[in-house]
Amino acid sequence: MMYSVHWSALALLRSLQCFLGLSFGREQCLLDVQPQINGQECKNTIDGSDTTTWQTQHNGHCNHYVVIDLRHAHNITALRVAPSLAGVTHGGSVGGHRILLSQEENDWSSPAVAYGTWADDGTDKWAIFEPQSARYVRLEATSATKNQGFITLGELDIWVSESVPIVPADGSLGRWGPTINFPLVPVSIFVDPVEKESRGNIIVFSSNSRDGIEDGEAEATRTAIWDRIGKRVSEEQVKNTHHQMFCPGTALDVNGSVIITGGASAAKTTVYDPVNKDWKPLHVMKLPRGYQGAVTLADGRMFVIGGSWSPSDSKDSRGGEIYDPFTNEWKKLENCSAEDIRTKTDGYLDYRADNHVWLMAWKDNWIFHAGPAADMHWINTTAPNGALKNAGKREEDGAMCGIAVMYDAAEGEILTAGGAPDYGKKASGNAFIIKLNKTGEAVTVAPAGKGLRWPRTFLNAVVLPNGDTFVAGGMLIGQPYNDTTAVFTPELWSLKDKAWKEMAPNSIPRTYHSVGLLLPDATVLVGGGGLANNRTVNHLDAQIYTPPYLIDKGPRPVIKSLPTSPKVMLVMLGQHLVFSTDSEVVDASLIRYGAATHNLNNDQRRIRLTPERDLKSPRVFKYRVKVPENPGVAIPGYWMLFVMNKAGVPSVAATVQDRRR
Ligand SMILES: *[C@@H]1O[C@H](CO)[C@@H](O)[C@H](O)[C@H]1NC(C)=O
Ligand SMILES: *[C@@H]1O[C@H](CO)[C@@H](O)[C@H](O)[C@H]1NC(C)=O
Ligand SMILES: *[C@@H]1O[C@H](CO)[C@@H](O)[C@H](O)[C@H]1NC(C)=O
Ligand SMILES: *[C@@H]1O[C@H](CO)[C@@H](O)[C@H](O)[C@H]1NC(C)=O
Ligand SMILES: *[C@@H]1O[C@H](CO)[C@@H](O)[C@H](O)[C@H]1NC(C)=O
Ligand SMILES: *[C@@H]1O[C@H](CO)[C@@H](O)[C@H](O)[C@H]1NC(C)=O
Ligand SMILES: *[C@@H]1O[C@H](CO)[C@@H](O)[C@H](O)[C@H]1NC(C)=O
Ligand SMILES: [Cu+2]
């Protein structure tokens, strides 16, 4: 048979088994409108042949669906949708889609297990989701490619899994799903913070190609927008900046604009403006680079350092430079050499030892360099040429493509975990708590519990509103474009217990070129991986992880009183932020919006806040929280304000802007 599974890693790891359509016995295909076209009935989607076609009738709009009855319940985990090989030239393929599962013939009340938009490129399409027991499968086309009002489809396979356990019903380990399908591999990702109801669209991008390297227009980027509320994915090619934003540095400025530096078009800088929803070129960097670390400073400027594969690879070609968004100018900091911040355990010193630097903006416009090099540093960006100062050793080896998260900015506390001494090497399970003391002075380092239970590199880390850090994906041996040693069990660093806990596993590998991000509704998005031309390891999707605090813990508190439209509140340093809620809350936090790529999100940080109830108005739930005074703690820009109740359930975030200067 023709099952050329390009998800070989998944098949290998999960021993999937494919049931051919006809082996289900009675197939049941339903069309929403007209009778089926003679010879092109929907039963052709499950006849085991890609060359027979199901063609829907043109009905002016596209909402065609097919339902398959498996006769018995199976643990279903994936769908392959193959285009017709019969040479049908009219009609589109399935673009926008939803996939629903059911135990009952006409009950489609459960949310979709996967939805999104597939690319218009004539290849097989996959939807992979967490296994779920169902007898009926429904594929809905919500849009057809080529703007057609009807679709043609060659074959639809349903994949089941007998090895992946069904998600525990109690949800105490969290829950995965749905899967969001993108028309490209989401290698870089950010939340557009300026959005109706403040809940935010998600913008993702790959390279000039959707799923490979260098097979498109040289200086352009494939992007997609996921409308989380409308549950739709759309695609856009960004050409006007002439910037292929693949393997870049990313940071969010004072106005929530995402500044994307370098990468494939090595000196270019682009800004995504969330107010006008457009992309604009900015001034080029002094030094061309890709894979650099980037971070927004206390005064709103942005610092970058390191980054390999720039065309002018040489020892001193990757030093620090600083961008001033107010003047659109770059300035080189001659005394911040990338040589000082390299890992010393990389086999290709000149090439990639200064990649993906963990940078934490701090007081007085200083930056703390937390890794991945074993030696940590302080960077004084106000010294005329910048100044680097050793801050001690974190561990013995470097931790390339590990993670660092400032989970408590007021206390200067950073969690680090995982990584490998070098690409291609065995990953580490090391985890540490770094505590910053006075700016420029020695820091303390202590092990974070017993370390990760699963050593991993290319992992993603997201700080949650309650200060716990969720770590997902990664692999045991750091081999780009090879999912063989992928880790599927996420871990949670509990602030209260000072221990790691294994959480619900997922079924899609998230390794090299994967990303993780906290969403404003307090769930976590983990996606991407791959972007290899051979397509065996490409993951054109993301999954939502719902932490246990949102499962069976009762209603969520609601922040009621922050301004709407645009739902952004300006906050002032050292001042109180006043708001009301619909119920009692006992804890609060601010988490800065960030942008993630290559397992790195330096702008992500959390500030713990203490809600003080206004006792003068006992009949309403009115609170105030004090925003820290120091802009090195409360970095200017957009933040998510969360409140939590006694059961630990967080609200949906209100968006606040900390705008200064
Ligand atoms: C589905 O998975 C559950 C739990 O892993 C298992 O007990 C059950 O036998 C599976 N059902 C089928 C039809 O494979
Ligand atoms: C941010 O937006 C404000 C108001 O539109 C503008 O005055 C300011 O220059 C912007 N700052 C940056 C860094 O773009
Ligand atoms: C800083 O740079 C200047 C000139 O580039 C150099 O003379 C000086 O020695 C450097 N200082 C340090 C501490 O590296
Ligand atoms: C950082 O650099 C500035 C400018 O040279 C200097 O005034 C300041 O003392 C430096 N900070 C420290 C703590 O060395
Ligand atoms: C900083 O270190 C000093 C001793 O070196 C200690 O007394 C102080 O408590 C520390 N401050 C913080 C915030 O940890
Ligand atoms: C992928 O990794 C595995 C385990 O490390 C190795 O055996 C295999 O050869 C690798 N495959 C490729 C294509 O490099
Ligand atoms: C996939 O392609 C990449 C890049 O061309 C290559 O390095 C890798 O070994 C390939 N992986 C597999 C599993 O074939
Ligand atoms: Cu890359």
Side-chain angles (χ1 to χ4, degrees):
M1 265 299 307
M2 72 300 291
Y3 297 107
S4 55
V5 181
H6 51 246
W7 294 90
S8 61
L10 181 66
L12 197 75
L13 283 158
R14 297 300 185 193
S15 56
L16 295 172
Q17 189 185 346
C18 184
F19 284 76
L20 296 184
L22 287 176
S23 69
F24 302 141
R26 182 178 71 100
E27 84 275 14
Q28 180 207 27
C29 292
L30 308 168
L31 266 173
D32 63 338
V33 250
Q34 314 85 348
Q36 304 189 32
I37 296 170
N38 235 352
Q40 302 189 337
E41 295 88 357
C42 67
K43 67 170 193 246
N44 290 344
T45 59
I46 52 170
D47 66 355
S49 162
D50 287 12
T51 58
T52 57
T53 302
W54 169 44
Q55 181 178 324
T56 68
Q57 295 253 6
H58 196 289
N59 64 358
H61 56 96
C62 189
N63 58 345
H64 305 280
Y65 65 88
V66 54
V67 174
I68 295 179
D69 177 4
L70 306 177
R71 305 280 306 233
H72 306 285
H74 294 276
N75 293 335
I76 300 165
T77 195
L79 237 70
R80 181 189 72 120
V81 176
S84 167
L85 297 180
V88 178
T89 50
H90 305 296
S93 309
V94 181
H97 60 274
R98 304 199 316 143
I99 291 150
L100 299 134
L101 303 181
S102 180
Q103 298 286 18
E104 306 297 330
E105 184 155 5
N106 284 312
D107 175 12
W108 303 109
S109 55
S110 294
V113 289
Y115 68 87
T117 296
W118 284 316
D120 179 11
D121 62 4
T123 64
D124 282 8
K125 297 294 175 254
W126 286 83
I128 301 179
F129 38 86
E130 296 313 308
Q132 192 172 309
S133 175
R135 173 170 167 180
Y136 299 91
V137 181
R138 176 179 165 116
L139 168 68
E140 292 179 6
T142 53
S143 73
T145 61
K146 302 181 179 65
N147 284 323
Q148 292 288 346
F150 66 105
I151 57 165
T152 58
L153 196 151
E155 191 69 4
L156 194 159
D157 307 325
I158 295 160
W159 297 73
V160 304
S161 167
E162 271 142 14
S163 61
V164 183
I166 297 285
V167 180
D170 67 2
S172 67
L173 305 179
R175 209 168 268 162
W176 289 92
T179 298
I180 318 302
N181 290 320
F182 292 107
L184 49 82
V185 176
V187 179
S188 302
I189 184 167
F190 61 88
V191 182
D192 179 337
V194 184
E195 192 54 47
K196 269 187 213 142
E197 304 186 12
S198 88
R199 287 180 285 190
N201 280 345
I202 308 297
I203 296 176
V204 301
F205 50 103
S206 51
S207 63
N208 59 0
S209 152
R210 292 174 173 125
D211 55 6
I213 297 171
E214 295 300 340
D215 63 358
E217 196 168 320
E219 299 199 308
T221 304
R222 296 276 183 180
T223 75
I225 300 169
W226 169 36
D227 169 356
R228 292 192 307 117
I229 309 306
K231 293 190 170 19
R232 275 183 301 268
V233 174
S234 55
E235 192 185 1
E236 188 195 350
Q237 196 180 14
V238 177
K239 294 181 183 178
N240 67 306
T241 59
H242 305 289
H243 183 180
Q244 189 192 157
M245 301 182 286
F246 175 47
C247 303
T250 52
L252 263 74
D253 84 355
V254 183
N255 286 341
S257 295
V258 185
I259 296 178
I260 298 141
T261 52
S265 306
K268 298 272 174 74
T269 300
T270 292
V271 62
Y272 172 80
D273 170 0
V275 176
N276 298 308
K277 313 285 177 219
D278 59 9
W279 306 77
K280 290 187 206 106
L282 296 175
H283 212 285
V284 294
M285 281 186 287
K286 297 282 181 201
L287 301 171
R289 56 178 104 222
Y291 291 156
Q292 64 273 22
V295 71
T296 304
L297 305 186
D299 63 5
R301 291 180 305 158
M302 204 190 80
F303 176 82
V304 300
I305 193 165
S308 64
W309 63 256
S310 89
S312 59
D313 264 357
S314 79
K315 270 195 169 173
D316 297 315
S317 68
R318 290 157 359 212
E321 58 183 303
I322 219 158
Y323 177 71
D324 187 336
F326 301 93
T327 60
N328 186 20
E329 270 167 26
W330 287 96
K331 178 174 173 271
K332 233 171 118 175
L333 298 184
E334 301 283 354
N335 288 24
C336 293
S337 163
E339 229 177 314
D340 296 326
I341 52 136
R342 284 178 173 172
T343 67
K344 300 194 171 56
T345 41
D346 193 291
Y348 296 82
L349 264 191
D350 285 346
Y351 180 47
R352 58 192 186 185
D354 52 15
N355 283 358
H356 310 308
V357 186
W358 310 341
L359 301 169
M360 303 290 157
W362 197 237
K363 299 169 187 174
D364 309 315
N365 288 317
W366 282 57
I367 297 163
F368 181 69
H369 160 239
D375 286 307
M376 304 176 290
H377 295 85
W378 282 105
I379 301 172
N380 181 354
T381 65
T382 55
N385 291 305
L388 258 152
K389 193 176 163 190
N390 196 290
K393 221 179 176 59
R394 189 188 61 257
E395 57 195 300
E396 279 313 305
D397 289 337
M400 183 54 72
C401 299
I403 59 91
V405 179
M406 189 175 260
Y407 63 87
D408 190 334
E411 295 293 321
E413 288 178 2
I414 300 163
L415 172 74
T416 74
D422 187 0
Y423 291 82
K425 295 248 171 78
K426 257 178 88 175
S428 144
N430 289 355
F432 300 97
I433 303 290
I434 301 170
K435 190 161 167 51
L436 310 183
N437 194 319
K438 286 214 178 67
T439 308
E441 289 184 4
V443 302
T444 55
V445 179
K450 294 182 185 145
L452 292 169
R453 296 185 187 183
W454 294 86
R456 56 180 101 200
T457 183
F458 305 136
L459 66 164
N460 291 289
V462 167
V463 65
L464 304 180
N466 60 11
D468 290 352
T469 300
F470 178 70
V471 155
M475 62 198 304
L476 301 174
I477 300 169
Q479 291 164 290
Y481 308 125
N482 183 340
D483 285 339
T484 311
T485 64
V487 176
F488 296 92
T489 305
E491 296 178 55
L492 187 77
W493 169 251
S494 160
L495 211 48
K496 191 167 91 285
D497 304 339
K498 300 271 177 284
W500 292 96
K501 183 183 179 196
E502 291 178 83
M503 306 305 281
N506 71 325
S507 60
I508 305 178
R510 301 292 177 202
T511 59
Y512 188 57
H513 283 155
S514 65
V515 287
L517 205 61
L518 179 72
L519 300 181
D521 65 0
T523 63
V524 178
L525 192 74
V526 182
L531 208 86
N533 295 343
N534 57 26
R535 298 188 179 178
T536 54
V537 290
N538 287 344
H539 303 291
L540 291 83
D541 56 18
Q543 281 180 294
I544 295 171
Y545 173 76
T546 301
Y549 55 45
L550 290 177
I551 302 173
D552 301 333
K553 292 269 175 8
R556 306 181 73 158
V558 177
I559 300 174
K560 293 200 309 187
S561 61
L562 289 182
T564 52
S565 190
K567 197 169 177 177
V568 170
M569 170 127 184
L570 296 183
V571 301
M572 301 295 289
L573 291 178
Q575 306 281 305
H576 284 99
L577 181 58
V578 179
F579 56 88
S580 67
T581 58
D582 70 335
S583 52
E584 191 188 12
V585 300
V586 297
D587 197 4
S589 61
L590 283 169
I591 296 182
R592 198 174 186 280
Y593 279 104
T597 188
H598 293 71
N599 324 95
L600 193 69
N601 181 0
N602 284 333
D603 280 353
Q604 159 173 249
R605 66 170 56 192
R606 168 181 166 271
I607 298 171
R608 182 170 187 188
L609 302 169
T610 308
E612 295 167 51
R613 180 128 185 224
D614 180 354
L615 296 171
K616 278 177 284 177
S617 359
R619 259 172 277 137
V620 290
F621 296 100
K622 197 170 160 195
Y623 295 92
R624 59 178 206 170
V625 291
K626 188 165 186 242
V627 179
E629 278 166 35
N630 198 303
V633 172
I635 304 294
Y638 278 78
W639 294 74
M640 292 176 263
L641 171 71
F642 292 100
V643 295
M644 284 146 275
N645 63 19
K646 264 195 191 131
V649 184
S651 63
V652 168
T655 297
V656 298
Q657 185 186 13
D658 170 9
R659 187 203 274 176
R660 255 159 292 127
R661 188 169 153 163

